[in-house]
């Protein structure tokens, strides 16, 4: 069974930095797209950043220039480096991966989320 486990969330002051990690495990053949999403209180979950298997990235406008997504295919892990954090970045951050367990399939899996709180 594929599982995604996030880590690295916590409390940080505005202007500070955090690094989130998300590691996948369990019968993985390969992983295509990886991404980070976030959900603030009272809001819908939305895209933060995605990265393809080849390393092509995409960012929400609100985080461009501050956040960097990267991946380590050998470790089935995706990272999110968050700099210059703002109070409005406070949210639960979720990772998502498109995982192949058979070589020809692709199923989206989500982590359970990690809370990032930015104090102003």
């Amino acid at each position: 069974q594929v599982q995604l486990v996030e880590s690295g969330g916590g409390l940080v002051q505005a202007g500070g930095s955090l690094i989130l990690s998300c590691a996948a495990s369990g019968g993985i053949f390969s992983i295509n797209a990886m991404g980070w999403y976030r959900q603030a209180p009272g809001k819908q979950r939305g895209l933060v950043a995605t990265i393809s298997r080849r390393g092509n990235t995409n960012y929400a406008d609100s985080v461009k220039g501050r956040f960097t997504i990267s991946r380590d295919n050998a470790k089935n892990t995706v990272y999110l480096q968050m700099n210059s954090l703002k109070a409005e970045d406070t949210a639960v951050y979720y990772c998502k991966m498109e995982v192949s367990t058979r070589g020809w399939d692709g199923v989206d899996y989500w982590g359970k989320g990690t809370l990032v709180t930015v104090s102003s």
Side-chain angles (χ1 to χ4, degrees):
Q1 181 70 19
V2 176
Q3 290 187 323
L4 275 58
V5 179
E6 298 109 333
S7 61
L11 175 64
V12 63
Q13 289 188 332
S17 299
L18 280 176
I19 301 176
L20 305 183
S21 301
C22 175
S25 62
I28 296 169
F29 181 85
S30 64
I31 302 176
N32 298 317
M34 296 180 174
W36 288 96
Y37 297 75
R38 67 186 180 185
Q39 186 168 17
K43 296 187 177 180
Q44 291 187 331
R45 190 177 302 185
L47 169 74
V48 176
T50 62
I51 184 168
S52 71
R53 183 168 180 80
R54 294 184 178 182
N56 296 318
T57 58
N58 179 51
Y59 295 92
D61 287 343
S62 59
V63 306
K64 283 180 181 177
R66 300 188 297 122
F67 292 9
T68 302
I69 189 170
S70 60
R71 62 189 285 169
D72 185 331
N73 291 330
K75 296 182 178 180
N76 293 330
T77 299
V78 62
Y79 305 94
L80 186 68
Q81 172 72 52
M82 303 186 294
N83 298 328
S84 302
L85 283 161
K86 305 175 182 179
E88 51 263 43
D89 294 318
T90 295
V92 177
Y93 284 71
Y94 298 89
C95 65
K96 185 179 80 168
M97 298 186 187
E98 183 185 355
V99 179
S100 171
T101 59
R102 306 178 187 179
W104 50 264
D105 59 334
V107 177
D108 286 340
Y109 290 87
W110 290 87
K112 293 183 178 181
T114 185
L115 176 63
V116 172
T117 303
V118 184
S119 63
S120 56

